[in-house]
Amino acid sequence: MMNLVVCFKENPVENYLIERIKKTWSDVNIINVGQDKIANALLEADYFCGHAKVPVDWEKIVSQGRLKWIQSSAAGMDWCLVPSVVESEIIITTASGVLADQVAEHTLGLIISWMRNLPTFLKEQHNNQSPDYRKFIRRPTRDLTNAIVGIVGFGGVGRRLAQVLTPFKTRIIATDLFPVEKPPYVAELWEANKLNELLNQSDVVILCLPLNIVTKNLFDKNKFQQMKENALLVNVARGQLVVTNDLIDALNSKQIAGAVMDVTSPEPLPPNNPLWDFQNVIITPHVAGQFHRRFDNIVDIFTENIYRYKKDEKLINYLTPEGKKAGFPLRNAGFPLWIDFQK
């Protein structure tokens, strides 16, 4: 009997979710583990559904030739897309789009909190050590309405953000490695090489990129110099997209107006890191994807893909060879995407 390893989080997955998988795929042996055992369990895996957050010997796994399919429980695939896996015949499907609603909601909350100066008002309401404790003082605010918003990376999260931001009368421009199927509410969808043009124009720059060899440290000193002085940087993707010291320099020199982020580099961000001290920075601890049905939704996509796998049908969020290199499922690659499949 083939082994299916399941690992979504620190502890083993709840029984009711395992039962849902068993009902769909009764002829596999399910090995349900937490992160402390995933590295060893993967050496015995024929199939894997989950996300390894600890070091894994992918070279050995690939050389064994046993692992046939990875259904990721995460959208970001930097945790497993090492060269040997990319070049292998291992089937990979992702959770791209499964948590797009939640990430978009959190991103909107961060942007509005920064624009409307909510951290200052909350501090003055609750911190009795503040010199302006409960003095009911009006503070400067800014507007999201009518802003130019640049979305860098137009996948599942980027597209959902464009939908969410449209009612604010924003002008939305976006760049993507594969700029196809531009929605009518997006003013411009450009190739990735037009990133500097997006930065020159945008009041808000939102990073929705996967982390790979091309995007790692993409936002460095040179990119910050391309941004408007009144621009807000938003990172809800991966911390390593941004060179942290260059961001600190850009904030100190007022090259940009501020930053809000749900991810950092390093992560977790050490308590003594200067980013914590900026009044124009909001940091949340990688919680944008939190959702009470998160793992139910992961099982939804996995069970649907199990049906398709057993029938030799096209898998949802399948990574083509080009998709493996890019780190995300490609639109117009001939395979369904979860964000569209739900409609």
Side-chain angles (χ1 to χ4, degrees):
M1 183 175 285
M2 299 287 197
N3 288 338
L4 165 62
V5 173
V6 178
C7 178
F8 293 167
K9 50 185 180 175
E10 297 302 320
N11 299 315
V13 176
E14 288 82 354
N15 286 335
Y16 81 95
L17 294 172
I18 296 297
E19 290 303 316
R20 283 187 58 197
I21 297 171
K22 281 182 180 178
K23 186 176 180 181
T24 310
W25 210 354
S26 58
D27 53 348
V28 295
N29 175 46
I30 298 180
I31 301 173
N32 181 18
V33 297
Q35 291 294 330
D36 60 333
K37 296 181 180 177
I38 186 58
N40 288 329
L42 279 171
L43 295 171
E44 306 297 323
D46 298 287
Y47 309 100
F48 174 46
C49 179
H51 176 194
K53 300 180 181 180
V54 298
V56 169
D57 191 347
W58 291 111
E59 304 295 330
K60 185 174 182 179
I61 290 170
V62 171
S63 67
Q64 288 181 159
R66 179 170 181 172
L67 184 62
K68 298 175 178 61
W69 175 21
I70 297 173
Q71 168 65 65
S72 175
S73 61
M77 297 301 298
D78 47 287
W79 61 274
C80 73
L81 287 181
V82 299
S84 58
V85 173
V86 170
E87 295 165 9
S88 75
E89 295 184 1
I90 297 172
I91 295 169
I92 298 181
T93 51
T94 83
S96 179
V98 171
L99 300 173
D101 288 343
Q102 286 67 46
V103 177
E105 182 178 315
H106 192 85
T107 304
L108 182 62
L110 287 172
I111 295 171
I112 290 178
S113 294
W114 189 90
M115 290 283 185
R116 305 310 297 179
N117 210 358
L118 297 188
T120 298
F121 297 127
L122 291 171
K123 178 181 178 181
E124 292 176 358
Q125 176 183 350
H126 295 291
N127 184 0
N128 59 15
Q129 302 302 310
S130 170
D132 296 314
Y133 177 60
R134 299 186 180 178
K135 289 185 179 179
F136 211 81
I137 300 173
R138 289 183 175 178
R139 301 292 185 186
T141 60
R142 291 178 55 176
D143 302 323
L144 174 58
T145 301
N146 293 321
I148 299 173
V149 177
I151 300 176
V152 186
F154 207 57
V157 170
R159 287 175 181 268
R160 181 59 182 141
L161 270 168
Q163 292 176 328
V164 168
L165 291 166
T166 295
F168 289 87
K169 305 174 185 177
T170 53
R171 183 175 190 271
I172 298 172
I173 56 180
T175 56
D176 195 77
L177 192 61
F178 301 93
V180 297
E181 295 185 14
K182 182 183 79 66
Y185 44 83
V186 172
E188 303 286 351
L189 176 54
W190 295 323
E191 293 183 354
N193 60 13
K194 295 190 74 174
L195 174 56
N196 283 351
E197 189 169 341
L198 177 147
L199 298 179
N200 294 162
Q201 296 185 29
S202 300
D203 302 306
V204 180
V205 175
I206 308 176
L207 308 189
C208 299
L209 292 164
L211 178 63
N212 55 41
I213 192 170
V214 175
T215 62
K216 185 176 181 179
N217 295 329
L218 177 63
F219 271 72
D220 59 7
K221 177 181 179 180
N222 292 330
K223 288 294 180 285
F224 292 125
Q225 289 175 342
Q226 297 296 323
M227 293 174 64
K228 292 181 176 181
E229 289 185 358
N230 68 339
L232 172 67
L233 177 73
V234 182
N235 189 3
V236 290
R238 286 291 186 266
Q240 289 178 287
L241 299 175
V242 177
V243 179
T244 298
N245 287 339
D246 288 358
L247 172 58
I248 292 169
D249 290 343
L251 291 164
N252 277 323
S253 63
K254 297 186 174 16
Q255 277 188 330
I256 63 173
V260 296
M261 60 195 77
D262 185 53
V263 290
T264 60
S265 179
E267 190 172 301
L269 193 67
N272 61 349
N273 190 284
L275 279 178
W276 290 111
D277 299 322
F278 287 96
Q279 297 301 307
N280 54 343
V281 171
I282 302 175
I283 300 170
T284 55
H286 208 149
V287 293
Q290 285 189 175
F291 175 41
H292 72 284
R293 272 190 52 85
R294 173 173 182 162
F295 299 119
D296 298 79
N297 283 15
I298 298 301
V299 173
D300 287 346
I301 189 173
F302 184 41
T303 52
E304 177 61 31
N305 267 340
I306 291 170
Y307 285 125
R308 290 166 174 259
Y309 183 82
K310 295 196 310 189
K311 294 178 181 179
D312 199 27
E313 295 179 356
K314 290 183 177 180
L315 301 179
I316 300 167
N317 287 354
Y318 172 80
L319 296 190
T320 61
E322 195 170 20
K324 278 186 177 182
K325 293 176 183 177
F328 56 90
L330 307 183
R331 186 167 289 274
N332 279 4
F335 293 85
L337 302 180
W338 184 252
I339 195 167
D340 299 329
F341 185 81
Q342 297 179 91
K343 293 178 181 178

Coordinates of all heavy atoms in Angstrom, one line a residue, residues 232-292:
L232 N 3.7 54.2 0.0 CA 3.6 53.2 1.0 C 4.0 51.8 0.4 O 3.5 51.4 -0.6 CB 2.2 53.1 1.6 CG 1.9 51.9 2.6 CD1 2.7 52.1 3.8 CD2 0.4 51.8 2.8
L233 N 4.9 51.1 1.0 CA 5.3 49.8 0.6 C 4.5 48.8 1.5 O 4.4 48.9 2.7 CB 6.8 49.5 0.9 CG 7.3 48.1 0.5 CD1 7.3 47.9 -1.0 CD2 8.6 47.8 1.1
V234 N 3.9 47.8 0.8 CA 3.1 46.8 1.5 C 3.7 45.4 1.1 O 3.7 45.1 -0.1 CB 1.6 46.8 1.0 CG1 0.8 45.8 1.7 CG2 1.1 48.2 1.2
N235 N 4.1 44.6 2.1 CA 4.6 43.3 1.8 C 3.8 42.2 2.5 O 3.8 42.1 3.7 CB 6.1 43.2 2.2 CG 6.7 41.8 1.7 OD1 6.0 41.1 1.0 ND2 7.9 41.6 2.0
V236 N 3.0 41.5 1.7 CA 2.2 40.4 2.3 C 2.5 39.1 1.6 O 1.8 38.1 1.7 CB 0.7 40.7 2.1 CG1 0.2 41.8 3.0 CG2 0.3 41.0 0.7
A237 N 3.7 39.0 1.1 CA 4.2 37.8 0.3 C 5.2 37.1 1.1 O 4.9 36.1 1.9 CB 4.7 38.2 -1.1
R238 N 6.5 37.4 0.9 CA 7.6 36.8 1.6 C 8.6 37.9 2.0 O 8.9 38.8 1.3 CB 8.3 35.8 0.7 CG 7.6 34.5 0.5 CD 7.5 33.7 1.7 NE 6.9 32.4 1.5 CZ 5.6 32.1 1.7 NH1 4.8 33.1 2.1 NH2 5.2 30.9 1.6
G239 N 9.1 37.8 3.3 CA 10.0 38.8 3.8 C 11.3 39.0 3.0 O 11.8 40.1 2.8
Q240 N 11.8 37.9 2.4 CA 13.0 37.9 1.7 C 13.0 38.6 0.3 O 14.0 38.7 -0.4 CB 13.6 36.5 1.5 CG 14.1 35.9 2.9 CD 14.6 34.5 2.7 OE1 13.9 33.6 2.5 NE2 15.9 34.3 2.7
L241 N 11.8 39.0 -0.1 CA 11.7 39.9 -1.3 C 12.3 41.2 -1.0 O 12.7 41.9 -2.0 CB 10.2 40.1 -1.6 CG 9.3 38.9 -2.0 CD1 7.9 39.3 -2.2 CD2 9.9 38.2 -3.2
V242 N 12.4 41.6 0.2 CA 12.9 43.0 0.6 C 14.3 42.8 1.3 O 14.4 42.0 2.2 CB 11.9 43.7 1.5 CG1 12.4 45.0 1.9 CG2 10.6 43.8 0.7
V243 N 15.2 43.7 1.0 CA 16.5 43.8 1.7 C 16.2 44.7 2.9 O 16.0 45.9 2.8 CB 17.6 44.4 0.8 CG1 18.9 44.5 1.7 CG2 17.8 43.6 -0.4
T244 N 16.1 44.1 4.1 CA 15.6 44.8 5.3 C 16.5 46.1 5.6 O 15.9 47.1 5.9 CB 15.6 43.9 6.5 OG1 14.7 42.8 6.2 CG2 15.2 44.6 7.8
N245 N 17.8 46.0 5.5 CA 18.6 47.1 5.8 C 18.4 48.3 4.8 O 18.4 49.4 5.2 CB 20.1 46.7 5.8 CG 20.4 45.9 7.0 OD1 19.7 46.0 8.1 ND2 21.5 45.2 7.0
D246 N 18.1 47.9 3.5 CA 17.8 48.9 2.5 C 16.5 49.6 2.8 O 16.3 50.8 2.6 CB 17.8 48.4 1.1 CG 19.3 48.0 0.7 OD1 20.2 48.2 1.5 OD2 19.4 47.5 -0.4
L247 N 15.5 48.8 3.3 CA 14.2 49.4 3.7 C 14.4 50.3 4.9 O 13.8 51.4 4.9 CB 13.2 48.3 4.1 CG 11.9 48.7 4.6 CD1 11.2 49.6 3.7 CD2 11.0 47.5 5.0
I248 N 15.2 50.0 5.8 CA 15.4 50.8 7.0 C 16.1 52.1 6.5 O 15.7 53.2 7.0 CB 16.3 50.1 8.0 CG1 15.6 48.9 8.7 CG2 16.9 51.1 9.1 CD1 16.4 48.0 9.5
D249 N 17.0 52.0 5.6 CA 17.7 53.3 5.1 C 16.7 54.1 4.3 O 16.7 55.4 4.5 CB 18.9 52.9 4.1 CG 20.0 52.3 4.9 OD1 20.1 52.4 6.1 OD2 20.9 51.6 4.2
A250 N 15.8 53.5 3.6 CA 14.8 54.3 2.8 C 13.8 55.0 3.7 O 13.4 56.1 3.4 CB 14.1 53.3 1.8
L251 N 13.5 54.3 4.8 CA 12.6 55.0 5.8 C 13.3 56.1 6.5 O 12.8 57.2 6.8 CB 12.1 53.9 6.8 CG 11.2 52.9 6.2 CD1 11.0 51.7 7.2 CD2 9.8 53.5 6.0
N252 N 14.6 55.9 6.9 CA 15.4 56.9 7.6 C 15.6 58.2 6.7 O 15.5 59.3 7.2 CB 16.7 56.4 8.1 CG 16.6 55.6 9.4 OD1 15.9 56.0 10.3 ND2 17.4 54.6 9.5
S253 N 15.8 57.9 5.4 CA 16.1 59.0 4.5 C 14.8 59.6 3.9 O 14.9 60.6 3.1 CB 17.0 58.6 3.4 OG 16.4 57.6 2.6
K254 N 13.7 59.1 4.3 CA 12.4 59.5 3.8 C 12.3 59.4 2.3 O 11.6 60.1 1.6 CB 12.1 61.0 4.2 CG 12.0 61.1 5.8 CD 11.6 62.5 6.1 CE 11.4 62.8 7.6 NZ 11.9 61.8 8.6
Q255 N 12.9 58.3 1.8 CA 12.7 58.0 0.3 C 11.3 57.5 0.1 O 10.8 57.7 -1.0 CB 13.8 57.0 -0.1 CG 15.1 57.5 -0.4 CD 16.0 56.5 -1.0 OE1 15.9 55.3 -0.7 NE2 17.0 56.9 -1.9
I256 N 10.8 56.8 1.1 CA 9.4 56.4 1.0 C 8.7 56.9 2.3 O 9.3 57.2 3.3 CB 9.2 54.9 0.8 CG1 9.8 54.1 2.0 CG2 9.9 54.4 -0.5 CD1 9.5 52.6 1.9
A257 N 7.3 56.9 2.2 CA 6.6 57.4 3.3 C 6.4 56.4 4.5 O 6.2 56.8 5.6 CB 5.2 57.9 2.8
G258 N 6.4 55.2 4.2 CA 6.2 54.2 5.2 C 6.1 52.8 4.7 O 6.2 52.6 3.5
A259 N 5.8 51.8 5.6 CA 5.7 50.4 5.2 C 4.7 49.7 6.1 O 4.7 50.0 7.3 CB 7.1 49.7 5.2
V260 N 4.0 48.8 5.5 CA 3.2 47.9 6.3 C 3.5 46.5 5.8 O 3.7 46.2 4.6 CB 1.7 48.1 6.2 CG1 1.4 49.5 6.8 CG2 1.2 48.0 4.8
M261 N 3.6 45.5 6.8 CA 4.1 44.2 6.3 C 3.6 43.1 7.3 O 3.5 43.3 8.5 CB 5.6 44.2 6.3 CG 6.3 44.5 7.6 SD 8.1 44.9 7.5 CE 7.9 46.6 6.9
D262 N 3.3 42.0 6.7 CA 2.9 40.8 7.4 C 4.0 39.8 7.4 O 3.9 38.8 8.1 CB 1.6 40.2 6.8 CG 1.1 39.0 7.6 OD1 0.9 39.2 8.8 OD2 0.9 37.9 7.1
V263 N 5.1 40.1 6.7 CA 6.2 39.2 6.6 C 7.5 40.0 6.7 O 7.5 41.2 6.4 CB 6.2 38.4 5.3 CG1 5.1 37.4 5.2 CG2 6.1 39.4 4.1
T264 N 8.5 39.4 7.3 CA 9.8 40.2 7.5 C 11.0 39.3 7.1 O 10.8 38.1 7.0 CB 9.9 40.6 8.9 OG1 9.9 39.5 9.8 CG2 8.8 41.6 9.3
S265 N 12.1 39.9 7.0 CA 13.4 39.1 6.9 C 14.4 39.8 7.8 O 14.8 40.9 7.7 CB 13.9 39.2 5.5 OG 15.1 38.5 5.3
P266 N 14.9 39.0 8.9 CA 14.5 37.6 9.2 C 13.1 37.5 9.8 O 12.5 38.5 10.1 CB 15.5 37.2 10.2 CG 15.9 38.4 10.9 CD 15.8 39.5 9.9
E267 N 12.6 36.3 9.9 CA 11.3 36.1 10.5 C 11.4 34.9 11.4 O 11.8 33.8 11.0 CB 10.3 35.7 9.4 CG 8.8 35.7 9.8 CD 7.9 35.6 8.7 OE1 7.8 36.5 7.8 OE2 7.1 34.6 8.7
P268 N 11.0 35.1 12.7 CA 10.5 36.3 13.3 C 11.5 37.5 13.3 O 12.7 37.2 13.4 CB 10.0 35.9 14.7 CG 10.9 34.8 15.0 CD 11.1 34.0 13.7
L269 N 11.0 38.7 13.3 CA 11.9 39.9 13.4 C 12.4 40.0 14.8 O 11.6 40.1 15.7 CB 11.1 41.1 12.9 CG 11.9 42.4 12.6 CD1 12.8 42.2 11.4 CD2 11.0 43.6 12.4
P270 N 13.7 40.1 15.0 CA 14.2 40.2 16.4 C 13.7 41.5 17.1 O 13.4 42.5 16.4 CB 15.7 40.3 16.2 CG 16.0 39.7 14.9 CD 14.8 40.0 14.0
P271 N 13.4 41.5 18.4 CA 12.9 42.6 19.1 C 13.7 43.9 19.0 O 13.2 45.0 19.1 CB 12.8 42.2 20.6 CG 12.8 40.7 20.5 CD 13.6 40.3 19.3
N272 N 15.0 43.8 18.7 CA 15.9 45.0 18.6 C 16.1 45.5 17.2 O 16.8 46.4 17.0 CB 17.3 44.6 19.2 CG 18.0 43.5 18.5 OD1 17.4 42.8 17.7 ND2 19.3 43.3 18.8
N273 N 15.3 44.9 16.3 CA 15.4 45.4 14.9 C 14.8 46.8 14.8 O 13.8 47.0 15.3 CB 14.7 44.4 13.9 CG 15.0 44.8 12.5 OD1 14.5 45.7 11.9 ND2 15.9 44.0 11.8
P274 N 15.5 47.7 14.1 CA 15.0 49.1 14.0 C 13.7 49.2 13.4 O 13.0 50.2 13.6 CB 16.1 49.8 13.1 CG 17.3 48.9 13.3 CD 16.9 47.5 13.5
L275 N 13.2 48.3 12.6 CA 11.9 48.4 11.9 C 10.8 48.5 13.0 O 9.8 49.2 12.7 CB 11.6 47.2 11.0 CG 12.2 47.1 9.6 CD1 11.9 45.9 8.9 CD2 11.8 48.4 8.8
W276 N 11.0 47.9 14.1 CA 9.9 48.0 15.1 C 9.7 49.5 15.6 O 8.6 49.8 16.1 CB 10.3 47.2 16.4 CG 10.2 45.7 16.2 CD1 11.3 44.8 16.1 CD2 9.1 44.9 16.0 NE1 10.8 43.5 16.0 CE2 9.5 43.5 15.9 CE3 7.7 45.2 16.0 CZ2 8.6 42.5 15.8 CZ3 6.8 44.1 15.8 CH2 7.2 42.8 15.7
D277 N 10.7 50.3 15.5 CA 10.7 51.6 16.1 C 10.1 52.7 15.3 O 9.9 53.8 15.7 CB 12.1 52.0 16.6 CG 12.7 51.0 17.6 OD1 11.9 50.6 18.4 OD2 13.9 50.7 17.5
F278 N 9.9 52.4 14.0 CA 9.4 53.5 13.1 C 7.9 53.7 13.4 O 7.1 52.7 13.4 CB 9.6 53.1 11.6 CG 11.0 53.2 11.2 CD1 11.8 52.1 11.1 CD2 11.5 54.4 10.7 CE1 13.1 52.2 10.7 CE2 12.8 54.5 10.3 CZ 13.6 53.4 10.3
Q279 N 7.5 55.0 13.6 CA 6.1 55.3 13.8 C 5.3 55.1 12.5 O 4.0 55.0 12.5 CB 5.9 56.7 14.3 CG 6.6 57.0 15.6 CD 6.0 56.1 16.7 OE1 4.8 56.0 16.9 NE2 6.9 55.3 17.4
N280 N 5.9 55.1 11.3 CA 5.2 55.0 10.0 C 5.3 53.5 9.5 O 5.2 53.3 8.3 CB 5.8 56.0 9.0 CG 7.3 55.8 8.9 OD1 8.0 55.3 9.7 ND2 7.8 56.4 7.8
V281 N 5.6 52.6 10.4 CA 5.6 51.2 10.0 C 4.7 50.4 10.8 O 4.6 50.5 12.0 CB 7.1 50.6 10.1 CG1 7.1 49.1 9.9 CG2 8.0 51.3 9.1
I282 N 3.9 49.5 10.2 CA 3.0 48.5 10.9 C 3.5 47.1 10.6 O 3.6 46.8 9.4 CB 1.5 48.7 10.5 CG1 1.1 50.1 10.8 CG2 0.7 47.7 11.3 CD1 -0.4 50.4 10.3
I283 N 3.7 46.3 11.6 CA 4.1 44.9 11.4 C 3.2 44.0 12.0 O 2.8 44.2 13.2 CB 5.5 44.7 12.0 CG1 6.6 45.7 11.4 CG2 6.0 43.3 11.9 CD1 7.9 45.7 12.1
T284 N 2.7 43.0 11.3 CA 1.9 41.9 11.9 C 2.7 40.6 11.7 O 3.5 40.4 10.7 CB 0.5 41.8 11.3 OG1 0.6 41.7 9.8 CG2 -0.3 43.1 11.6
P285 N 2.5 39.6 12.6 CA 3.3 38.4 12.6 C 2.9 37.3 11.6 O 2.6 36.2 12.1 CB 3.3 38.0 14.0 CG 1.9 38.4 14.5 CD 1.6 39.7 13.8
H286 N 2.9 37.5 10.3 CA 2.6 36.5 9.3 C 1.2 35.8 9.6 O 1.1 34.6 9.7 CB 3.7 35.5 9.2 CG 3.8 34.9 7.9 ND1 5.0 34.4 7.3 CD2 2.9 34.6 6.9 CE1 4.8 33.9 6.1 NE2 3.5 34.0 5.9
V287 N 0.2 36.7 9.8 CA -1.1 36.1 10.1 C -2.2 36.4 9.0 O -3.3 36.1 9.2 CB -1.6 36.7 11.4 CG1 -0.8 36.3 12.6 CG2 -1.7 38.3 11.4
A288 N -1.7 37.0 7.9 CA -2.7 37.3 6.8 C -3.5 36.1 6.3 O -4.7 36.3 5.9 CB -2.0 38.0 5.6
G289 N -2.9 35.0 6.3 CA -3.5 33.8 5.8 C -4.3 33.0 6.9 O -4.9 32.0 6.6
Q290 N -4.4 33.5 8.1 CA -5.1 32.8 9.1 C -6.6 32.8 8.8 O -7.2 33.9 8.4 CB -4.9 33.5 10.5 CG -3.6 33.2 11.1 CD -3.4 33.6 12.5 OE1 -2.4 33.3 13.1 NE2 -4.4 34.3 13.1
F291 N -7.3 31.7 9.0 CA -8.7 31.6 8.7 C -9.2 30.3 9.4 O -8.5 29.3 9.4 CB -8.7 31.4 7.1 CG -10.1 31.1 6.6 CD1 -11.2 31.7 7.0 CD2 -10.2 30.2 5.5 CE1 -12.5 31.5 6.5 CE2 -11.5 29.9 5.0 CZ -12.6 30.6 5.4
H292 N -10.4 30.4 10.0 CA -10.8 29.3 10.8 C -11.1 28.1 10.0 O -11.1 27.0 10.5 CB -12.1 29.7 11.6 CG -13.3 29.9 10.7 ND1 -13.6 31.0 9.9 CD2 -14.4 29.0 10.5 CE1 -14.7 30.8 9.2 NE2 -15.2 29.7 9.6

